[in-house]
Amino acid sequence: MSYISFEDVCKDYPAGNTVVHASDHVNFQIEKGEFCVVLGPSGAGKTTVLNLLGGMDKATSGRIIVGDKEITGLRSPQLTEYRRHDVGFVFQFYNLMPNLTALENVELAQQVCERALDPREVLEQVGLGQRMNNFPAQLSGGEQQRVSIARALCKNPALLLCDEPTGALDSKTGEQVLDLLTRLCHDYSTTVVIITHEMAVVKEICDRVAVMEHGRVVEQGEVFNVFADPRQEITRSFIHTTSNLRKIEELIAEDSPVVKLNPGELIVRLSYIQRNVSEPLISTVSRKFDIVLNIIFSDIAIVQNAPIGGTVAIISGEREQITQAIAYLSEKNVGVEVIKDARVSE
């Protein structure tokens, strides 16, 4: 059984004479110790899901199970205990007490949680051992977020919820904070659910992704599987923001010299869609079928220890050999998309 399970969870808000379905029969699961990201456009219901999971709001219907607790069945005093002991929160804005030092801010966790960790040790873990006596105004944005993370982790929570934790940071500092979260949560065996738009970093740090649209989870699974073979248009649109493989359409629309074809040539986009693609396919098909693949550009990253992304190339050669090469690549679990074809009249 999954550690976290949403079962047909709805959250409705009255809005005048209508009802807003902020969560509309949400279903998804997360395993213990996983680092899960929730993606979606504004208004998709991401924050509502996080609030429901954190016990800060109550579902209209459905069940939310965390470990051995059905939190949708908890009363207010029980929910308070759940938030106090089981859940850590990290938000976009740091919510630090300005009149307290970094250490004193983290020590607040000791006042609400019996199994709290040593605040000094946690601050050392987040790289602020030399700054623990500084006040928030004396710290950079990245350092303040590290204090916020330390305060959340000091409770030693089983579940850490993060709502846009890098939203107020520059991209480099945001990446460092997400890397820190990954390392610390693996060290503490904490399950993490995070909302972020840092898509490039998502590919590197997360285990699972849930994509939301109009209050529903429309696609979910391991990051590699979802990124390699997205089924929903909303998922594809998010993924394309981190890839330059879509640049080929712009070049074609601009009639760039880069994409000018000789008779018989075509432009293809090759995408890795399964984990077992490992052999040097470009050189293999070139030799095997006596064709030429002129790579225009590529975008390949390693996600969950497997290559993901692909290559855009111009293929030249005999028509039948090209056809056989495309069929061979498809058999090897490579997605082949013909973008422009000079084998037929244009």
Side-chain angles (χ1 to χ4, degrees), residues 304-323:
Q304 295 183 320
N305 300 314
I308 195 171
T311 299
V312 174
I314 297 175
I315 302 182
S316 307
E318 295 293 329
R319 184 185 184 94
E320 181 59 29
Q321 295 298 96
I322 292 175
T323 300

Side-chain angles (χ1 to χ4, degrees), residues 12-308:
D12 300 334
Y13 294 100
N17 295 324
T18 63
V19 175
V20 175
H21 304 293
S23 292
D24 186 6
H25 294 89
V26 169
N27 290 277
F28 72 96
Q29 294 77 39
I30 303 170
E31 301 301 324
K32 188 170 180 59
E34 280 190 324
F35 202 115
C36 176
V37 62
V38 181
L39 296 175
S42 296
K46 306 182 300 296
T47 299
T48 299
V49 163
L50 217 65
N51 288 341
L52 292 172
L53 184 55
M56 294 181 287
D57 207 345
K58 296 203 73 170
T60 305
S61 61
R63 302 171 72 218
I64 303 172
I65 300 170
V66 180
D68 58 357
K69 291 187 179 79
E70 182 186 340
I71 65 170
T72 40
L74 298 180
R75 299 189 177 190
S76 292
Q78 296 169 313
L79 273 176
T80 299
E81 288 300 301
Y82 167 73
R83 290 192 298 267
R84 180 176 295 169
H85 297 288
D86 297 343
V87 188
F89 300 93
V90 180
F91 301 100
Q92 177 177 348
F93 301 104
Y94 323 122
N95 297 325
L96 301 179
M97 301 295 290
N99 59 330
L100 301 181
T101 65
L103 176 60
E104 290 168 338
N105 266 280
V106 177
E107 285 176 336
L108 291 174
Q110 286 184 312
Q111 299 176 22
V112 298
C113 184
E114 297 173 357
R115 62 169 186 269
L117 303 173
D118 185 329
R120 293 178 180 273
E121 290 184 6
V122 180
L123 281 167
E124 289 281 357
Q125 286 271 38
V126 302
L128 291 178
Q130 304 301 314
R131 307 281 279 165
M132 62 178 66
N133 292 318
N134 289 77
F135 291 92
Q138 299 170 315
L139 302 173
S140 68
E143 288 172 330
Q144 290 184 62
Q145 191 60 294
R146 287 169 181 259
V147 175
S148 176
I149 292 168
R151 183 178 58 193
L153 289 175
C154 189
K155 292 166 62 177
N156 196 18
L159 175 61
L160 183 68
L161 304 180
C162 308
D163 192 352
E164 294 285 6
T166 61
L169 306 174
D170 62 80
S171 58
K172 183 175 181 180
T173 305
E175 185 172 341
Q176 292 172 344
V177 166
L178 287 172
D179 286 342
L180 172 67
L181 275 172
T182 306
R183 176 176 61 80
L184 292 174
C185 291
H186 285 167
D187 289 346
Y188 290 110
S189 299
T190 305
T191 303
V192 183
V193 182
I194 181 171
I195 294 173
T196 180
H197 288 94
E198 300 291 336
M199 288 291 292
V201 181
V202 169
K203 291 191 292 188
E204 298 174 15
I205 67 172
C206 292
D207 304 305
R208 178 171 294 273
V209 60
V211 183
M212 293 195 68
E213 186 177 29
H214 305 310
R216 290 176 173 264
V217 173
V218 296
E219 191 159 6
Q220 64 174 305
E222 291 187 12
V223 172
F224 180 91
N225 294 333
V226 172
F227 272 62
D229 191 20
R231 304 301 175 88
Q232 301 293 325
E233 180 57 36
I234 185 68
T235 312
R236 290 192 287 270
S237 69
F238 273 113
I239 293 170
H240 294 161
T241 64
T242 66
S243 171
N244 66 14
L245 296 182
R246 291 286 152 181
K247 185 176 177 62
I248 187 64
E249 279 91 351
E250 297 176 19
L251 295 175
I252 291 173
E254 296 165 0
D255 199 25
S256 168
V258 174
V259 296
K260 289 291 186 183
L261 298 181
N262 296 316
E265 294 182 332
L266 69 159
I267 299 176
V268 296
R269 181 163 40 224
L270 307 176
S271 304
Y272 295 126
I273 58 176
Q274 291 196 16
R275 295 176 187 270
N276 58 356
V277 177
S278 58
E279 64 179 283
L281 292 170
I282 299 295
S283 59
T284 298
V285 294
S286 295
R287 293 193 308 270
K288 186 177 182 68
F289 299 100
D290 194 24
I291 60 174
V292 175
L293 282 89
N294 176 22
I295 297 175
I296 301 176
F297 47 78
S298 64
D299 188 353
I300 298 174
I302 302 300
V303 175
Q304 295 183 320
N305 300 314
I308 195 171

